[in-house]
Amino acid sequence: MYFIANWKMFGVLNSLNSIHKVVKFLKNFKKNNSLKIIYCPPNTLIRPMTKKLKDTYIDVGAQNCHEHDKFGAFTGSVNSIMLKNVGAKYVIIGHSENRQAGESDKLINLKIKSAIKSGLKVIFCIGETLQQKRKKITKQVLNKQIGFGLNKIKIKNNIILAYEPVWSIGTGVIPKKNELFETINFIKKKINKCKVLYGGSVNPKNINDLKSIVNIDGYLIGGASQDPKKFIDIIKKTYS
Ligand code: 13P
């Protein structure tokens, strides 16, 4: 099971003290080979976090990258080579917060290609808005996001898919169990080589419900991942 912490635009150097608790917990946690933890902090914390997590099983990833896989005159941007260089092994691409800010499927496709070329693994996010859900076009939306996003990309173990319904992010609302099972199943049938995670308001209170959905391969966690106690609780409850 994957537990991916997306810190979004939260965190300064002091925030790194909190991950010590997670490292300590993992040392005493009965080792489970399927457990995979990845922290995706803001770019400013990737290097110091990688150093802090040296000699642990926790990996570090970034939250986005520029689509160019060479250096260039793109003020304020960071590409996948730079992220790899400071210790990132993963990068989140296609998060709805960036799609809403104007990131297109075509751009997402270029970003994924550049990340793979640089040797990063991609956490590729897809999900429908509330309006699209109400119109009952979730499957068409996901189909399009997957089709364009992964166009001409050879899928091996280089892509992890994260289904994050936009209406569930930061709202405390999660999909109904049967609906979520069905959507994950739909995604898995479309790209059978990928692990498929769920993201959107995952917390210690709803993890028991979520873990009963048997086709989910892990979670992409926003708010709750910044609190080590909640993050640990989610992991513990998943395996209990
Ligand atoms: P929350 O867990 O805060 O709803 O955020 C989910 C998310 O966007 C993870 O990428």
Side-chain angles (χ1 to χ4, degrees):
M1 291 292 278
Y2 283 85
F3 296 85
I4 305 182
N6 176 8
W7 275 11
K8 308 192 179 187
M9 200 174 73
F10 292 93
V12 289
L13 285 171
N14 269 348
S15 321
L16 295 179
N17 298 334
S18 72
I19 55 177
H20 169 72
K21 289 192 181 123
V22 178
V23 173
K24 204 169 146 209
F25 157 75
L26 280 180
K27 272 192 190 143
N28 302 320
F29 190 61
K30 207 165 116 241
K31 199 167 165 342
N32 191 309
N33 284 334
S34 77
L35 175 60
K36 182 86 212 138
I37 298 178
I38 303 158
Y39 267 98
C40 300
N43 286 348
T44 46
L45 297 182
I46 291 179
R47 189 62 180 162
M49 193 180 252
T50 318
K51 284 186 181 163
K52 256 211 149 93
L53 294 176
K54 200 164 84 59
D55 306 323
T56 72
Y57 295 102
I58 304 176
D59 281 328
V60 178
Q63 299 172 12
N64 203 354
C65 68
H66 194 273
E67 66 273 22
H68 279 261
D69 55 19
K70 295 185 181 63
F71 300 125
F74 299 100
T75 304
S77 298
V78 171
N79 74 4
S80 47
I81 305 168
M82 294 160 162
L83 296 173
K84 180 103 198 292
N85 183 250
V86 289
K89 290 193 175 152
Y90 295 81
V91 59
I92 297 172
I93 295 179
H95 194 282
S96 64
E97 283 150 18
N98 295 323
R99 289 180 188 263
Q100 278 162 344
E103 211 173 59
S104 66
D105 287 318
K106 174 117 203 328
L107 184 63
I108 288 167
N109 178 256
L110 293 174
K111 289 185 175 193
I112 296 178
K113 283 178 180 154
S114 110
I116 291 175
K117 194 171 165 200
S118 303
L120 294 177
K121 289 189 183 185
V122 173
I123 301 152
F124 172 40
C125 299
I126 58 169
E128 83 285 3
T129 62
L130 185 57
Q131 207 183 18
Q132 290 164 334
K133 178 182 160 59
R134 285 192 177 136
K135 278 195 196 154
K136 298 196 177 7
I137 55 167
T138 296
K139 284 184 181 158
Q140 286 103 299
V141 171
L142 301 182
N143 217 13
K144 179 172 169 282
Q145 290 175 340
I146 293 170
F148 282 101
L150 297 181
N151 185 32
K152 300 209 174 109
I153 290 172
K154 200 161 175 237
I155 301 167
K156 291 178 275 178
N157 62 352
N158 48 5
I159 310 249
I160 298 166
L161 215 128
Y163 169 58
E164 297 205 308
V166 180
W167 49 273
S168 184
I169 295 175
T171 60
V173 184
I174 60 168
K176 292 198 183 87
K177 274 191 203 176
N178 58 337
E179 281 178 7
L180 188 47
F181 178 84
E182 205 197 301
T183 310
I184 300 272
N185 215 19
F186 169 79
I187 297 167
K188 287 196 164 175
K189 275 192 186 144
K190 257 199 86 65
I191 29 170
N192 58 20
K193 285 179 192 144
C194 274
K195 296 279 182 202
V196 181
L197 318 185
Y198 167 75
S201 295
V202 177
N203 64 43
K205 286 187 188 134
N206 58 27
I207 192 65
N208 281 336
D209 279 339
L210 286 169
K211 80 171 191 193
S212 68
I213 304 167
V214 292
N215 55 0
I216 295 178
D217 298 308
Y219 308 99
L220 179 53
I221 307 163
S225 74
Q226 291 160 37
D227 177 342
K229 199 175 160 305
K230 285 188 184 161
F231 196 52
I232 291 168
D233 230 24
I234 291 171
I235 300 169
K236 264 195 206 160
K237 284 186 174 166
T238 304
Y239 284 102
S240 67

